[in-house]
Amino acid sequence: MPVPLLDVNAQNLPLEAELKAVFDSVLRSGRFILGEEVEAFERECAAALGAKHAISISSGTDALIVALMALDIGPGDEVICPSFTFFATAGSIARTGATPVFCDVCPVCFGLDIDSAKAKLTPRTKAIVPVHLYGQAADMDSITSFAKEHGLAVVEDVAQSFGATYKGRGCGTIGALGCFSFFPSKNLGGFGDGGLVTTEDDALAEKVLRLRNHGMHPRYYHSMVGGNFRMDALQCALLRVKLRHIKDYEAGRARNADYYLSRIPELPGAVQAREADCCCPARQAARLADAKLVLPVAYAHNGHVWNQFTLRVSGEGRRDALKAHLSSLGIGCEIYYPVPMHRQQCFANLPAHSLSGCPVSDLLASEVLSIPGRKPTRRSGRCSRVLRRLSVHRGFQFIPTIFFARDGFRFFFYSNDHKPIHVHVRKGDGEAVFEVGDSVALRESVGLKTGELGIAEFLAFEHKELIITKWHEYFD
């Protein structure tokens, strides 16, 4: 059975009746722009995030743009941001007329590397945009200290990290402004585009409110030039339904991450990154010299919300080979992101200091691969299927695993080279050897019920024979 990287219906369809009722309510109200649903959604987001002000915006990209506009950032200004991020971070800076200046990132948490940022400071630097990538907070203490020392505004890009925390504080409430996205793939995924700006500053909140509606206040009086950055009332109403379940969604992703973190390290060459190596590429590289697969780590002081479960696959060509292998077996996976910002063609003419000194970003772009982990399930069946497909990838010489493919009521067993095998079962004091066609007896001998599948641990794989020592059962 295929395992998609993202299954939006896994969240949305269980809420179908409630979502349809909300749609009907908005339809009958006739109020589609701003109004009560928008205001209620903003209040509920502020409460969920621990923010003083939360202002709905038309998209996550527009949230970044309007935040920068509120800080009067424009032509002649420079804004530091990580090179390893989604394009909107840098594109929004460029849209204001300012110059994006790219710094490198940490190879462990994927957040902004403060030493690299310090090297990019010039008299024209006006702001810094840390990105809380994949669901984990950047190092906000060092970033805010650096910003305060040099009079820089901090704009948090929280597009992938709704609900994440840093030392107990909600991401998006630490800098001057926080910018969120409700794109369908995000942790709080909408039904189209949507975004949010948070701030603790009353004056900035008022300015963002005006900017999102053409700079208008009162009606038809414009003290500034803004834009149409309003979020539709229907989107806000639908997201209010999902917001009530956000903690359950977070818990589901955390369970999936815990499963991967406990099982993937059993594979030869697979290791987990260490918080102790944060922002030290040389130390991490030395420790991981023999690693083939590097798992992410949630820092102890962070509340990680696992927007993505992202592996690093070391060795030239190995990441792409693994991606092709998983895709061929129906396992959804994606590269976030294959080209860092300092390598993008549209930024080729930026000043040299904007584009230099990002070796970790280049490395990560060649290694990262995100695998399924977002289905809010209480069982790990999908994750088990992903693990099995990982375990038989020849590029890593992982241990072979028994595959189960259902055809009617029959089970077939394959080795990692997809050829039939003999299976030597050791269960309690008894032992038995079964041919591939004797699947019913094999299934009964290891205690699997009809329609139930499992993954095996074993001691040996020699001469087409497996010695099974333990079964991990799950429901397909």
Side-chain angles (χ1 to χ4, degrees):
M1 182 182 295
V3 182
L5 179 64
L6 172 67
D7 182 1
V8 295
N9 284 337
Q11 284 187 359
N12 296 338
L13 292 186
L15 305 174
E16 183 175 5
E18 195 172 356
L19 292 168
K20 286 181 175 178
V22 165
F23 178 91
D24 187 62
S25 175
V26 174
L27 175 65
R28 292 178 180 278
S29 76
R31 187 70 186 271
F32 308 128
I33 305 297
L34 300 179
E36 294 178 2
E37 289 288 354
V38 173
E39 293 168 3
F41 177 62
E42 291 172 343
R43 288 194 301 270
E44 290 163 9
C45 281
L49 297 167
K52 186 175 183 181
H53 301 281
I55 302 158
S56 61
I57 300 293
S58 46
S59 71
T61 301
D62 288 344
L64 287 164
I65 292 172
V66 76
L68 294 167
M69 291 173 66
L71 295 169
D72 296 320
I73 288 172
D77 297 327
E78 292 182 354
V79 178
I80 298 172
C81 74
S83 180
F84 190 69
T85 183
F86 177 61
F87 182 81
T89 313
S92 298
I93 297 168
R95 284 279 301 278
T96 68
T99 300
V101 176
F102 303 119
C103 67
D104 215 352
V105 296
C106 170
V108 182
C109 69
F110 307 109
L112 182 150
D113 184 324
I114 192 62
D115 290 332
S116 177
K118 289 176 179 179
K120 297 300 182 86
L121 183 71
T122 76
R124 294 178 297 278
T125 307
K126 193 167 184 178
I128 185 169
V129 183
V131 179
H132 306 303
L133 200 64
Y134 302 146
Q136 175 153 236
D139 181 8
M140 292 305 297
D141 279 352
S142 65
I143 292 166
T144 54
S145 176
F146 168 64
K148 183 177 181 180
E149 180 182 356
H150 298 283
L152 310 179
V154 177
V155 178
E156 297 177 69
D157 184 338
V158 207
Q160 298 184 13
S161 298
F162 189 101
T165 59
Y166 175 80
K167 296 185 177 180
R169 297 182 63 183
C171 291
T173 69
I174 302 169
L177 298 141
C179 303
F180 297 78
S181 170
F182 301 126
F183 188 79
S185 66
K186 298 302 188 285
N187 289 0
L188 183 58
F191 301 82
D193 280 312
L196 190 79
V197 170
T198 53
T199 185
E200 305 302 293
D201 187 293
D202 294 342
L204 281 176
E206 178 63 26
K207 194 169 184 180
V208 170
L209 281 169
R210 294 191 185 191
L211 285 168
R212 79 165 175 185
N213 197 22
H214 299 289
M216 181 170 62
H217 185 77
R219 193 172 188 184
Y220 302 130
Y221 288 80
H222 301 262
S223 58
M224 62 189 76
V225 177
N228 180 359
F229 300 129
R230 301 183 300 260
M231 186 173 168
D232 292 340
L234 179 59
Q235 286 286 357
C236 290
L238 294 170
L239 277 170
R240 289 182 68 197
V241 174
K242 295 189 70 175
L243 181 59
R244 293 194 282 272
H245 300 272
I246 191 68
K247 291 299 181 184
D248 288 337
Y249 299 154
E250 290 175 8
R253 291 190 304 273
R255 283 192 296 272
N256 292 337
D258 287 344
Y259 177 85
Y260 283 143
L261 293 173
S262 66
R263 295 304 308 279
I264 295 179
E266 297 173 1
L267 305 176
V271 298
Q272 187 177 12
R274 293 194 314 186
E275 184 177 347
D277 294 334
C278 184
C279 288
C280 186
R283 183 170 61 220
Q284 191 195 50
R287 192 175 66 83
L288 302 179
D290 297 325
K292 295 172 180 172
L293 198 66
V294 181
L295 281 75
V297 60
Y299 286 14
H301 59 264
N302 284 341
H304 201 316
V305 291
W306 300 104
N307 178 255
Q308 299 291 344
F309 191 92
T310 301
L311 306 169
R312 288 178 56 192
V313 187
S314 57
E316 185 175 357
R318 284 179 171 167
R319 187 271 310 276
D320 294 338
L322 179 58
K323 183 176 186 296
H325 165 78
L326 292 175
S327 298
S328 72
L329 295 172
I331 304 299
C333 51
E334 191 53 82
I335 300 168
Y336 302 116
Y337 299 96
V339 183
M341 294 302 103
H342 71 284
R343 301 289 184 188
Q344 295 288 350
Q345 182 179 355
C346 62
F347 295 133
N349 294 323
L350 290 180
H353 80 282
S354 294
L355 305 176
S356 62
C358 297
V360 175
S361 296
D362 283 326
L363 179 65
L364 293 178
S366 71
E367 292 185 347
V368 294
L369 185 67
S370 296
I371 59 175
R374 304 198 55 214
K375 179 177 170 59
T377 177
R378 292 187 180 277
R379 302 193 69 88
S380 55
R382 289 192 175 194
C383 294
S384 295
R385 289 198 290 277
V386 175
L387 178 64
R388 285 183 289 152
R389 270 57 174 182
L390 277 172
S391 70
V392 296
H393 180 55
R394 287 185 176 277
F396 300 103
Q397 298 177 342
F398 288 158
I399 56 176
T401 302
I402 296 180
F403 274 99
F404 303 94
R406 292 198 60 183
D407 178 14
F409 294 100
R410 295 191 302 161
F411 288 83
F412 297 89
F413 302 85
Y414 297 89
S415 69
N416 65 337
D417 56 4
H418 301 283
K419 295 179 181 178
I421 58 172
H422 293 76
V423 181
H424 184 163
V425 178
R426 177 182 298 161
K427 187 171 186 287
D429 296 328
E431 295 187 11
V433 177
F434 298 95
E435 299 286 340
V436 65
D438 204 359
S439 55
V440 175
L442 172 62
R443 175 169 54 79
E444 292 176 350
S445 74
V446 294
L448 291 176
K449 303 178 181 67
T450 301
E452 193 171 326
L453 306 181
I455 184 169
E457 292 181 358
F458 43 84
L459 297 178
F461 182 71
E462 297 177 357
H463 309 298
K464 300 292 182 194
E465 184 171 285
L466 289 171
I467 300 176
I468 299 173
T469 59
K470 184 179 179 182
W471 287 85
H472 298 279
E473 298 179 3
Y474 68 96
F475 291 91
D476 197 18

